[in-house]
Amino acid sequence: MYDRRSSRTSVFPERTLFDAIFQFLFSHRPVIFQQGELRFDLSTGSMVAAALAGAVMVAAIVTYRSVRGKGRLRDRIVLTGLRMAALAVVLFCLFRPTLVVRAAIPQQNVVAVLLDDSRSMQIPDWQGQPRGSYVREQFGGPESPLIKALSDRFLVRTFRFSATAGRLESANDLSFAGSQTRLGAALDGAREELTGLPVSGIVLVSDGADTSEASLSEALLGLKAEKLPVYTVGVGSAQLPRDVQIDRVSTPRTVLKDASLLVDVVVTQTGYAGSTVTVDVEDEGRIVGSEKVQLPNDGSPATARVRATASEPGPRLFKFRVAPLPDEVVTQNNVRETLIDVRDVREKILYFEGEPRFEMKFIRRAVDEDKNLQVVALQRTADNKFMRIGVDGADELVGGFPKTREELFSYRAIILGSIEAGAFSGDQLQMIADFVDRRGGGLLMLGGARSFGEGGYGGTPVADALPLAIDAKTRASEPADLARLQIAPTRAGQTHAATQIAATESASIARWKDLPQVTSVNAPLVPKPAATVLLSGTDERGRSQPVLTWHQFGRGKSVALTLQDTWQWQMHASISLEDQTHENYWRQLLRWLVDGVPGVVEAHSTSERVEPGEPVTIEATVLDKTYVELNDASVTARVTTPNGGSIDVPLEWTGDRDGLYRGRFVSSDAGTYEIAVDSSRGSDIVGSGVAFMRAGASDAEFFDPTMHEAPLKRIAEETSGRFYTPENAAGLAEDVRYAGRGVTSVEERELWNMPIVLLLLMGLVCAEWGYRRVVGLT
């Protein structure tokens, strides 16, 4: 900066005021000190006046200290403070402070205005009108307040954005029908289109509800690199007065036909605390389950555990719905949809029993009528002699328990009855552990005289897989004393799918209490740290022990049931002939045991639902028959479209992870797409897998429908812009003008002769005089 009054003026930008004062004292030349946008003029006259002001300050302090006997200490402190403040204002003026700003030259710079055109702008929470009404009111025509203020100073380019972004002639052309909001993509698009132009800033008008999965970080890096400030205007309420939302629904991708689903539905609300609502489950329009839930305090979630039966095979669209309530602002978020592949297949389970006993007979009888479960039994009748029950062919299990991984891994689950560890080779014991860990299968060990520690499993790979800790030093031994146990579900078991033996949770808990006692001959074992106990048993002396325990082991699940005679729940004298408790228990338990067990080829789309016309990413995990990942397979997906057409999509190994293949196609029509993935290796077929996904309009814009202030503030703060609400957005155009971007000119505004300074000085002097009169020091 250059002082036109003297070519010998020293300039000290961005340094301390004391440095400038010292320079003046030693150089005897006028000095201009500038800190940011504030400038001070240090001339001989101002420095002499400042010295006199300092002397007056000292004199004021001495004067008020000399009147100790005439007033209280508090009065002297207040009077001294008022005098110092008045003299400080005088001193401030003596240095002739000037505000130096860079202002955009009118009509020489461009401002981009980005307007949110998504469906969430239809939400009526701006003065009882839709959010889009604010956009049209402020930007709809040449005389609209904000667009006029910007147009008077800048060349305005207007954009619309939702799932895509583009130029816009008038805000009146907005439809507010976009199915997604992509803030990062909109900012990137505007920045790229304005490349090479003198840009003063970007104005972003939105409710901040970014429904894309992309991060804002990359878009912000580009804006910061070009020093483009973004001014965000948040439209909408931070909290809706009355709204109910189905926040989250947890469902599996695939289930067996006739599976009893136990689904956690999380409901949030504002304005309806204490009300009771019903969560309905619809399968293609047919109600298959309902559950009432009482809504808690505003903002607190409530979880409804809803039962539903998946009785129809194929890809099924399940809807979880709460009926709209009176005066509810948004009703579109009362429904969540999820696509579930209901598979009508028969899951094969290998049951190996070491001795004839009723338990095997009644387990097979319990699931005999379940067309989706096949229990293949292998019972030892003598050394190296076995009875096979339920096999598919003459060669199946002809040599006894499988001796190769490929043979064992063809089953989905294994049940080990009363069979000692010594009945297996070392490799077979490792194979059983690998069946759970690597293959992802289910393992269930039943109680018996040759099970758990009594069967000599301590220190074996199977013991590593089990959820109960067996001491490695434990060797095969005689059974423990018989314990008669009354079974009850634990807190975790009360809500678990495997322990539901009645129509409702409460009925199931009550039914467990009524069941007859059963027995265990195994010494109680301690659950491993990550294990979950679902059922516990209490003996005659009131001692409790875990009965049904499970944990995740590698890719699969491992379960321990320490009872030896659950058949009592079918044959006890207190159980009626029509009672289905035993059957329900074993069907539920075994269905859960095989649930989620993967095949050699597992396919899925990265998004369950996309908009028609959007790309779909297919991923497939490919393993060989021993469940080792393959990176050299030939993998192709055949996509069947809703109108019956087909698309062949080659999948390539990603290199990110062993066995992971990926490919893409573009959806066309709305509806359900079938993705059938086939894999081969040379001339050998590896396997196949099927997945489903949907294309259709999404209601994601109406979930979490409040104005999202955090991302809008982040965009403004990280780009040196500012965040506004409709209440304070009137000053936006003026703020953009003085942002210092684009083609600018320097403006100087003297602060020392502003009327407010004189009023402040007079106010301080009058305050001192008035206070002195009040305390009697005049």
Side-chain angles (χ1 to χ4, degrees):
M1 158 144 231
Y2 181 71
D3 189 341
R4 291 184 293 271
R5 295 171 301 170
S6 171
S7 61
R8 301 182 65 191
T9 299
S10 299
V11 181
F12 283 81
E14 305 299 333
R15 294 179 63 184
T16 67
L17 179 61
F18 294 105
D19 289 337
I21 293 174
F22 282 127
Q23 179 64 24
F24 168 78
L25 293 176
F26 287 106
S27 65
H28 303 291
R29 291 186 299 172
V31 174
I32 293 176
F33 165 70
Q34 185 167 339
Q35 183 72 35
E37 298 174 345
L38 195 60
R39 187 186 70 192
F40 295 92
D41 186 358
L42 308 182
S43 62
T44 302
S46 63
M47 292 303 295
V48 170
L52 291 175
V56 173
M57 287 184 178
V58 173
I61 294 173
V62 172
T63 299
Y64 281 118
R65 282 177 59 86
S66 65
V67 293
R68 290 181 180 178
K70 299 181 181 180
R72 294 173 300 176
L73 176 62
R74 186 187 66 183
D75 297 333
R76 295 198 301 273
I77 292 174
V78 171
L79 290 170
T80 302
L82 290 171
R83 180 68 60 86
M84 293 301 101
L87 292 173
V89 173
V90 173
L91 185 62
F92 175 76
C93 294
L94 290 175
F95 288 132
R96 300 173 60 86
T98 303
L99 185 65
V100 181
V101 295
R102 300 178 66 85
I105 299 176
Q107 303 305 318
Q108 296 295 312
N109 297 281
V110 175
V111 165
V113 177
L114 278 63
L115 303 178
D116 192 340
D117 194 27
S118 66
R119 298 178 68 189
S120 62
M121 299 299 284
Q122 300 175 17
I123 296 174
D125 63 344
W126 176 71
Q127 299 180 359
Q129 304 176 59
R131 297 168 182 173
S133 298
Y134 171 79
V135 176
R136 288 197 173 103
E137 178 182 294
Q138 296 294 325
F139 298 91
E143 298 304 315
S144 298
L146 279 181
I147 196 68
K148 184 177 188 303
L150 290 169
S151 300
D152 288 345
R153 298 167 175 82
F154 306 99
L155 301 174
V156 178
R157 293 194 177 180
T158 309
F159 299 81
R160 73 196 308 166
F161 72 93
S162 55
T164 58
R167 290 293 300 273
L168 181 68
E169 292 297 325
S170 170
N172 291 321
D173 296 333
L174 294 170
S175 62
F176 304 116
S179 58
Q180 289 184 325
T181 301
R182 297 179 176 176
L183 296 177
L187 292 169
D188 275 339
R191 177 178 58 81
E192 291 172 3
E193 184 154 338
L194 299 175
T195 300
L197 299 176
V199 183
S200 288
I202 297 175
V203 177
L204 176 70
V205 184
S206 173
D207 55 17
D210 192 336
T211 55
S212 70
E213 297 180 359
S215 172
L216 279 173
S217 299
E218 291 187 9
L220 293 177
L221 284 175
L223 292 167
K224 288 190 284 188
E226 297 188 18
K227 297 182 178 179
L228 272 179
V230 180
Y231 302 85
T232 57
V233 182
V235 186
S237 301
Q239 181 174 345
L240 297 184
R242 298 176 76 81
D243 182 54
V244 172
Q245 171 176 293
I246 294 186
D247 194 59
R248 187 173 65 256
V249 175
S250 301
T251 60
R253 284 179 177 263
T254 62
V255 297
L256 284 177
K257 182 178 177 292
D258 295 323
S260 179
L261 301 174
L262 190 60
V263 182
D264 287 334
V265 181
V266 179
V267 182
T268 57
Q269 61 82 34
T270 53
Y272 297 102
S275 301
T276 298
V277 298
T278 300
V279 179
D280 293 322
V281 186
E282 298 178 7
D283 177 5
E284 303 288 354
R286 179 171 57 92
I287 294 180
V288 293
S290 294
E291 185 69 28
K292 293 185 180 295
V293 59
Q294 185 174 19
L295 300 178
N297 295 332
D298 289 2
S300 299
T303 301
R305 297 186 65 83
V306 188
R307 291 170 179 266
T309 301
S311 57
E312 297 294 329
R316 309 295 296 179
L317 183 63
F318 282 77
K319 292 184 179 181
F320 298 82
R321 184 191 305 274
V322 172
L325 299 181
D327 302 322
E328 192 173 355
V329 178
V330 182
T331 59
Q332 292 90 337
N333 59 4
N334 290 34
V335 181
R336 284 275 187 185
E337 298 180 347
T338 183
L339 189 67
I340 300 178
D341 180 13
V342 182
R343 297 184 175 179
D344 190 8
V345 296
R346 201 162 196 195
E347 304 286 26
K348 206 169 185 180
I349 301 171
L350 172 60
Y351 183 170
F352 189 22
E353 185 60 78
E355 59 188 3
R357 61 177 188 161
F358 289 130
E359 193 71 348
M360 185 184 78
K361 172 184 177 181
F362 280 91
I363 290 174
R364 293 195 73 254
R365 181 184 294 179
V367 301
D368 186 54
E369 294 184 6
D370 191 327
K371 302 305 180 185
N372 298 108
L373 291 176
Q374 178 185 0
V375 176
V376 177
L378 181 68
Q379 180 180 301
R380 183 176 61 186
T381 57
D383 289 342
N384 297 320
K385 292 186 177 181
F386 305 94
M387 179 174 65
R388 299 176 295 155
I389 305 173
V391 294
D392 287 335
D395 295 333
E396 185 176 0
L397 301 176
V398 68
F401 191 82
K403 295 178 175 59
T404 66
R405 282 167 172 75
E406 184 172 344
E407 183 183 1
L408 182 63
F409 288 6
S410 65
Y411 296 94
R412 307 284 281 187
I414 300 172
I415 302 174
L416 296 179
S418 183
I419 182 74
E420 70 278 4
F424 303 97
S425 67
D427 187 51
Q428 285 176 319
L429 290 171
Q430 185 61 57
M431 282 167 47
I432 295 172
D434 290 345
F435 178 86
V436 186
D437 182 23
R438 198 168 77 194
R439 189 255 185 271
L443 171 65
L444 170 62
M445 180 174 282
L446 304 179
R450 297 182 177 89
S451 303
F452 300 104
E454 290 75 9
Y457 283 94
T460 67
V462 173
D464 295 336
L466 290 174
L468 298 176
I470 304 175
D471 192 335
K473 298 178 182 178
T474 302
R475 293 294 177 260
S477 62
E478 291 298 319
D481 293 337
L482 185 73
R484 296 189 178 277
L485 303 173
Q486 184 63 50
I487 308 304
T490 62
R491 183 180 295 273
Q494 290 176 1
T495 58
H496 197 276
T499 57
Q500 302 304 305
I501 56 175
T504 64
E505 274 186 27
S506 57
S508 181
I509 294 171
R511 183 64 183 130
W512 279 110
K513 294 178 181 179
D514 294 337
L515 290 178
Q517 291 183 343
V518 285
T519 63
S520 174
V521 294
N522 300 104
L525 298 172
V526 177
K528 291 179 180 178
T532 301
V533 179
L534 301 178
L535 295 176
S536 63
T538 305
D539 63 16
E540 293 91 338
R541 299 172 61 181
R543 296 174 299 184
S544 181
Q545 61 179 276
V547 167
L548 181 64
T549 310
W550 84 281
H551 74 166
Q552 192 78 25
F553 185 71
R555 293 176 178 169
K557 63 170 74 78
S558 177
V559 186
L561 178 64
T562 59
L563 304 177
Q564 67 167 351
D565 54 358
T566 63
W567 57 269
Q568 294 276 7
W569 296 334
Q570 177 68 50
M571 298 302 294
H572 193 271
S574 63
I575 303 295
S576 67
L577 292 176
E578 297 79 14
D579 192 288
Q580 293 291 305
T581 301
H582 182 259
E583 288 87 343
N584 290 341
Y585 170 72
W586 277 105
R587 289 174 187 173
Q588 289 286 91
L589 180 61
L590 295 186
R591 278 175 170 264
W592 171 66
L593 188 65
V594 299
D595 180 54
V597 175
V600 291
V601 176
E602 287 291 312
H604 69 275
S605 61
T606 55
S607 299
E608 183 182 304
R609 179 168 63 180
V610 299
E611 296 290 322
E614 288 187 338
V616 178
T617 299
I618 303 170
E619 289 187 347
T621 302
V622 180
L623 313 170
D624 66 12
K625 300 299 183 183
T626 62
Y627 283 75
V628 174
E629 295 86 353
L630 295 178
N631 297 334
D632 58 351
S634 175
V635 185
T636 303
R638 168 152 291 191
V639 180
T640 303
T641 63
N643 61 11
S646 63
I647 307 169
D648 288 333
V649 182
L651 307 186
E652 301 293 337
W653 178 52
T654 63
D656 299 335
R657 195 181 77 210
D658 287 340
L660 180 63
Y661 293 76
R662 185 179 294 135
R664 300 180 77 188
F665 73 96
V666 177
S667 61
S668 53
D669 304 319
T672 300
Y673 289 73
E674 179 184 16
I675 304 169
V677 177
D678 294 314
S679 174
S680 61
R681 195 182 188 194
S683 59
D684 297 329
I685 296 176
V686 175
S688 60
V690 178
F692 297 89
M693 55 79 56
R694 287 195 309 129
S698 170
D699 286 332
E701 285 286 317
F702 295 104
F703 288 88
D704 297 325
T706 58
M707 188 263 288
H708 293 244
E709 188 174 295
L712 297 177
K713 280 189 172 181
R714 178 191 174 194
I715 293 170
E717 290 171 359
E718 292 194 21
T719 59
S720 301
R722 184 179 172 187
F723 170 74
Y724 302 85
T725 62
E727 290 71 29
N728 64 358
L732 184 151
E734 198 70 7
D735 291 342
V736 178
R737 182 189 175 201
Y738 288 106
R741 284 285 303 158
V743 181
T744 61
S745 61
V746 176
E747 294 184 4
E748 298 182 1
R749 298 183 179 183
E750 294 183 335
L751 303 179
W752 62 275
N753 61 358
M754 295 177 63
I756 187 65
V757 176
L758 177 61
L759 293 175
L760 176 61
L761 180 60
M762 292 177 62
L764 291 171
V765 172
C766 291
E768 181 191 359
W769 177 79
Y771 193 87
R772 290 177 62 189
R773 284 185 61 88
V774 170
V775 300
L777 292 178
T778 54

